[in-house]
Amino acid sequence: MQSAWLVPLAMLFGLAAGTGLTLLVVLSVRRGHEAAEAATEDVPDGVEGMLDALGAPALVVDPSNTVVKHSPGAAALGLVHARALLSQALVDLVEEVRRGDGPVVRELSLSRGPFGSAARPVVVRAARLGIRYVLLLVEDRSEALRLEEVRRDFVANISHELKTPIGAITLLSEALDSAADDPQGVRRFAARMSTEAQRLSRITQEIIDLSRLQAADALKSPELVHIDHVVASAIDQNSVAAAAHRIEVRRGGEKRTTVYGDEALLIMAVHNLIANAIQYSPDGGRIGVGVRRVDDLVEIAVTDQGIGIAEEDRDRVFERFYRVDRARSRNTGGSGLGLAIVKHVVQNHGGEVRLWSQPGRGSTFTLRIPAASEARAAALGLESA
Ligand code: ADP
């Protein structure tokens, strides 16, 4: 038994501090031990070992509904206290199993604690164990349901985002049809159709990028990536948009920094930040892209002197489809996915993204990614650079 180590431990304390203290230590440690494990009674052979090995919450109750054994997970979920089942629903389930002649599976909503009405959705499987005992296996469904909700929201948002340009294209094609005799009108409607089609294509591409990113792990087959090349490519990809708004994008800071990861994804992340900086800056403004090495990290900071982001929006801008000003974003053709993609890319690289901003003064988005080093290579299981 585990308690075997208590005796030498107590002797050690006894030698140092006297027998009174020794006894106190033994008693208090042993009491804690019993409370956590519950009495083992004469539970059938093998059950104890099985419950210890189970990651999932599981309990065994005797004919008086006393919990005679439980896995560590059951206590963590708050299902048992002082050897009693804390939920009446579980007690009812045990009674039902005793009355019937087979296992019972039930979806229940258990209270998360003595206060408030928060509930934890669980699936409980209950079955007889020999003639005296009932075994309860509890599966916590909270995380699975949360993920399902996120997925449902995502699908609902996608449908909404796609419907808007599709609806506009439908209306414009009708307008085009009825303007057949008006060459100017035809040109105007055709130009607007082209804008909506581009928006549709960008949203579709971003949705594909994002879902690929969520499925993939950038560090599965990482390569040495030169940040100079990442920054130069991202600036280059935005040069037409920058020129159209007479915005100068300036590169500064350290050269020759490297990280491990996926070059194309990193270019996409920096590209999105520069594209936003252009989109949310006044014409003729300046944007800086700075690189520096700070301890074990490479920081890539994109700074603009644009409209800035209010404090209450700063965390939310990284959420999928979140836009501070939907009407303005619609004019600029934003989908609300750009920063969600940025966040995923840096997280996939073991890094993080930070945001400093002040409304009216501008914003700085900083990507912080572990620098390529021998230690980093070893951590990723690579041969070092
Ligand atoms: P969008 O495609 O709408 O730009 P993003 O996910 O890239 O979507 O950004 C989310 C929102 O964050 C934007 O709609 C905008 O309101 C805000 N935002 C992003 N970058 C900047 C910036 N550099 N300056 C001001 N606001 C920004």
Side-chain angles (χ1 to χ4, degrees):
M1 281 303 289
Q2 269 174 312
S3 57
W5 57 268
L6 290 175
V7 178
L9 182 72
M11 284 170 69
L12 202 68
F13 273 101
L15 285 178
T19 32
L21 176 64
T22 307
L23 197 61
L24 205 70
V25 170
V26 170
L27 284 177
S28 61
V29 173
R30 187 166 279 165
R31 194 163 294 143
H33 180 72
E34 280 168 6
E37 290 280 304
T40 44
E41 231 175 72
D42 51 347
V43 181
D45 278 353
V47 169
E48 203 174 331
M50 182 194 75
L51 289 193
D52 280 340
L54 268 180
L59 320 112
V60 176
V61 296
D62 73 2
S64 66
N65 287 350
T66 302
V67 178
V68 291
K69 182 72 194 164
H70 63 77
S71 70
L77 267 196
L79 301 177
V80 54
H81 180 68
R83 302 180 65 191
L85 286 173
L86 282 181
S87 155
Q88 184 58 40
L90 289 182
V91 175
D92 294 344
L93 193 61
V94 169
E95 300 295 344
E96 191 180 331
V97 170
R98 287 212 185 93
R99 282 195 306 272
D101 47 16
V104 177
V105 180
R106 184 91 4 112
E107 284 182 26
L108 297 175
S109 185
L110 302 180
S111 159
R112 281 181 188 266
F115 308 109
S117 56
R120 185 192 300 283
V122 294
V123 173
V124 187
R125 291 171 174 77
R128 279 179 175 279
L129 198 65
I131 28 172
R132 278 172 59 76
Y133 301 98
V134 173
L135 170 70
L136 294 168
L137 292 171
V138 184
E139 183 192 346
D140 185 356
R141 301 274 302 145
S142 323
E143 186 57 14
L145 290 181
R146 194 188 66 77
L147 287 176
E148 174 62 17
E149 202 171 304
V150 168
R151 198 190 61 78
R152 259 202 317 265
D153 279 359
F154 188 42
V155 172
N157 281 331
I158 286 179
S159 320
H160 174 78
E161 296 297 329
L162 293 180
K163 264 186 204 153
T164 315
I166 289 173
I169 289 174
T170 312
L171 286 177
L172 286 166
S173 65
E174 284 166 15
L176 198 62
D177 189 36
S178 51
D181 302 327
D182 168 13
Q184 251 187 354
V186 166
R187 261 197 297 273
R188 203 174 58 241
F189 290 133
R192 284 177 56 194
M193 269 179 94
S194 158
T195 308
E196 293 299 332
Q198 278 168 21
R199 180 201 300 272
L200 194 56
S201 136
R202 188 168 54 240
I203 294 176
T204 315
Q205 187 56 47
E206 285 185 346
I207 290 168
I208 294 168
D209 289 343
L210 190 58
S211 50
R212 253 203 220 125
L213 263 175
Q214 285 173 325
D217 180 356
L219 293 181
K220 235 183 194 162
S221 48
E223 285 170 3
L224 188 69
V225 179
H226 296 271
I227 296 302
D228 290 345
H229 182 245
V230 169
V231 171
S233 304
I235 292 178
D236 188 50
Q237 288 175 3
N238 280 292
S239 58
V240 174
H245 294 279
R246 290 180 290 105
I247 288 175
E248 185 193 354
V249 184
R250 225 183 246 180
R251 156 79 161 94
E254 281 177 56
K255 295 277 165 67
R256 283 184 288 284
T257 51
T258 48
V259 301
Y260 289 114
D262 183 314
E263 184 184 87
L265 291 182
L266 289 168
I267 293 175
M268 191 197 296
V270 180
H271 164 94
N272 287 358
L273 292 182
I274 298 174
N276 278 350
I278 294 171
Q279 218 167 79
Y280 300 104
S281 288
D283 283 4
R286 273 228 312 259
I287 290 168
V289 185
V291 178
R292 61 177 192 153
R293 167 103 191 223
V294 183
D295 300 326
D296 295 334
L297 296 170
V298 173
E299 290 190 348
I300 308 169
V302 177
T303 302
D304 64 57
Q305 298 161 336
I307 59 173
I309 300 169
E311 193 177 348
E312 63 268 25
D313 294 315
R314 278 179 216 152
D315 283 334
R316 301 211 60 196
V317 289
F318 295 99
E319 291 174 15
R320 292 176 299 201
F321 297 112
Y322 187 81
R323 286 171 291 206
V324 174
D325 178 348
R326 295 187 79 88
R328 188 179 194 285
S329 226
R330 192 151 297 293
N331 291 337
T332 52
S335 65
L337 286 175
L339 290 179
I341 291 174
V342 171
K343 186 174 157 192
H344 266 285
V345 170
V346 275
Q347 282 180 346
N348 275 4
H349 282 79
E352 61 169 3
V353 52
R354 288 191 178 171
L355 166 58
W356 173 92
S357 189
Q358 217 169 335
R361 283 195 54 193
S363 314
T364 297
F365 286 85
T366 307
L367 308 183
R368 292 157 50 85
I369 302 166
S373 65
E374 275 184 30
R376 182 72 182 149
L380 295 171
L382 295 169
E383 289 188 8
S384 91

